[in-house]
Amino acid sequence: MNAPDRGVGGNGARSPRRVAFVSDSVPERNGVGAYYADLVAQLEDRGFESTFLCPDQARKGLRFPLPGDTTQRIWIPSPRSFGRTIRELAPHAIVVATPGPYGLLGVRWARKLGVRLIVGFHTHYAGVTDLYSRSILRVFSRGYFRVADRVLFRNADHVLGNSEAMVRLARQLGADDVRRIGTLVPRPVLEAPTRPIGDRLERVLFAGRLAPEKRISEVVSAAERLPGLRFTIAGDGPLLDEVGAAARRLPNLEATGWLSRAELLEHMDAADALVLPSEMESFGTVALEAMARERIAVVTDTCGIADWPSLAEHLVVFSPERPLHEVLSGLAEDSPDSLRSLARRAREAAVDLNRRTLEQWIGLLSPGQDDHSDESGRS
């Protein structure tokens, strides 16, 4: 049974298009959940009615930890409650962001209703589990995610990756129509007034999950070697205790633990640069947010954000083989005019990508207005 197509609204002439976004990630706890929370907020102004189906930490329910990171959980949804919400919305399209139980229910209902199914491929969970020690749970999880990804891809009308590497991987895993999609930034990040960075690089921020693939040790090592700079590590994860011990040992290193998005914005505005020395990063949304706040973003070339030419020229990109402290030492020697010019251009690029990404989503969610392009002109 197809959901009725009542057109795209926004001016009162036609009812809004209805979209169900489905994610196993809790909003604000990681980049995937935050991505879709930001998208829902920006689509509201463009004539869309959206529902975000995702775990609610305030409610009790079945859940189990991700292997290697007990700070993140897989939640088991109530199929009855999930179905009731979907039927009430009667969506024109369903967007599935993750391959967990919520995501698989989203696939089931897209096929049951006969509506367009869009799958976001933001994280290769099967690959991430390879970074953790071997265990029966790890092997099971890897196998599960491989199967789940294939189920999502086989049923999807479109699969979206936010870097060329993720697009290639999706095709290898069996996806047919794969496109590159940009990343949005939160409204407060876009709309709150910015302030220029200082005359020289003095304060450095890392924000993200404290996990092995983020190479947190590089940030700690930089703090050890550069006592004249102040470092802040914000986030939660399996390496939280190690980061806390380093902060107690080093006077120029602060560990904040997990921050709300409002708190993170305050820390970002207080910093001169954000660093993302990750070994594996499908995109690196926090780096884009730093650019939008007119900050220097320092990322490894293994971060998906470096795949976007319009962004890469306004980033400081380095190889994981190069020590982070060397990169920061070089920036500390740059002139105030050079640093501020880079930061201003970074903000302009981030704001422009947000605009183009929103238009691409609107095209995908609006029949007859399908947008096949990304910034390189490829489909």
Side-chain angles (χ1 to χ4, degrees), residues 127-161:
V128 170
T129 59
D130 288 341
L131 298 174
Y132 297 99
S133 59
R134 290 189 172 274
S135 69
I136 293 176
L137 181 59
R138 169 193 169 278
V139 173
F140 170 79
S141 298
R142 189 173 189 272
Y144 166 83
F145 285 125
R146 282 186 175 276
V147 172
D149 281 337
R150 292 184 185 277
V151 170
L152 265 60
F153 296 163
R154 186 171 64 246
N155 287 278
D157 295 291
H158 312 296
V159 175
L160 307 178

Side-chain angles (χ1 to χ4, degrees), residues 327-343:
V327 180
L328 294 176
S329 293
L331 284 173
E333 298 299 321
D334 281 356
S335 69
D337 288 345
S338 176
L339 292 175
R340 286 174 180 161
S341 175
L342 176 60

Side-chain angles (χ1 to χ4, degrees), residues 26 55-61 75:
V26 178
D56 182 353
Q57 288 186 306
R59 298 179 182 177
K60 295 182 179 179
W75 297 69

Side-chain angles (χ1 to χ4, degrees), residues 237-259:
L239 301 182
L240 180 62
D241 289 343
E242 294 180 29
V243 170
R248 289 189 293 273
R249 177 170 54 87
L250 298 171
N252 65 328
L253 175 61
E254 174 191 17
T256 68
W258 181 81
L259 297 176

Side-chain angles (χ1 to χ4, degrees), residues 46-74:
R46 303 298 292 270
F48 286 81
E49 179 184 340
S50 303
T51 293
F52 198 1
L53 290 93
C54 62
D56 182 353
Q57 288 186 306
R59 298 179 182 177
K60 295 182 179 179
L62 291 174
R63 59 195 185 277
F64 56 89
L66 281 174
D69 186 357
T70 58
T71 65
Q72 297 205 82
R73 307 224 184 286
I74 294 291

